[in-house]
Amino acid sequence: MATKNGSLQPLLVVGSIAFDSVKTPLGTAKKVIGGSSVYFSSAARFFASVKMIGVVGTDFPQSHLDDLKKLGIDTSGIVTHRGKTFHWKGFYEGDMNQAHTLKTDLNVFAQFRPVLSASDRNHEHVFLANIDPNLQMSVLKQVAKPRWIACDTMNYWIESQKSALLDVLKHVDISFMNDAEIRQLSGHSNLLRAARWVMKLGPSIVIVKKGEHGVLCVWKNRVFLFPAYLLEDVIDPTGAGDSFAGGFLGYLSRHKNAGEKEIKNALAHGAIVASFNVQSFGNERLAKLSQEEITSRYGFYKKMISLV
Ligand code: AMP
């Protein structure tokens, strides 16, 4: 576990910390803890020593922060501002591959400008989780010499802050987007063309998430396709992308080289932790997850994708 192993690499994340209200074909959840950086951190903690940067409102229960701390996540970079916590309301239907947003209340995130401490600035691994690209950029400018920076985004920011997002992508090593988002941003309906278009902006690894169909990863002149770990009991796909990124980047941060073997294993670990995440609303399943369960499911996954 991340909390017990001093050798884990530090990983800094900025992103949304939210109340989510979600409806899926299997149920409804009102104002459960969510947000891109919560899902990311709940997954990445198994592989890295995670520090969250973000803001919550005065309505955010201290018990939620305590629960994150109990998972071994460093929450000292989360500040409380007067006002309401970010709130996202959405629903999924059919194959649940697409989130439909009903409401995005930025609330305290609208005015938030993070100031990194001296030690935060020295982080080598940084994840700019889904949030306003201007805020992602302000974190990016404060980190001194990162080994790699990764970022994620979504349609909301592609529509409202496209040029700021393109600026962020110029400084990023690894990009995450889902299929609809990368098509929307690049204007290419062919996913390989869309990924190559993003690569030209800056990232050397482009990951396209395709819901239950897994991910496409483009690196140098190579293309990797990894399936999702399929389950019959998908309760809520919210956070699947963020927890995938947590598994992927957490795994990668443990390796000095990011070659084919490491990238493929990182993709597999992303798929595994994301598969646990979709088995509950909020981060409930991830919060209960054990290293043993990850290892066991990884064994099944390897057999599932192996040719022999
Ligand atoms: P995903 O991994 O794409 O399913 O991310 C789901 C999370 O994104 C939810 O927990 C939401 O709180 C969060 N979210 C939704 N809209 C936004 C937004 N515009 N900016 C930042 N985070 C968001």
Side-chain angles (χ1 to χ4, degrees), residues 15-20 33-36 39 86-88 92 99 101 103-104 106 129-132 152-154 156-157 178 181 209 237-243 277:
S16 54
I17 302 161
F19 287 133
D20 284 348
I33 185 170
S36 53
Y39 283 113
F86 180 101
H87 178 222
W88 178 74
Y92 300 83
T101 296
K103 220 187 207 188
T104 304
L106 296 178
N130 178 25
I131 195 63
D132 185 339
D152 191 9
T153 192
M154 71 179 291
Y156 184 91
W157 301 114
N178 73 27
E181 290 154 0
K209 300 168 285 181
T238 310
D242 308 309
S243 49
N277 175 64

Side-chain angles (χ1 to χ4, degrees), residues 83-100:
K84 285 187 177 170
T85 300
F86 180 101
H87 178 222
W88 178 74
K89 189 173 178 188
F91 69 95
Y92 300 83
E93 51 191 5
D95 63 9
M96 294 198 257
N97 276 345
Q98 185 76 39
H100 301 283

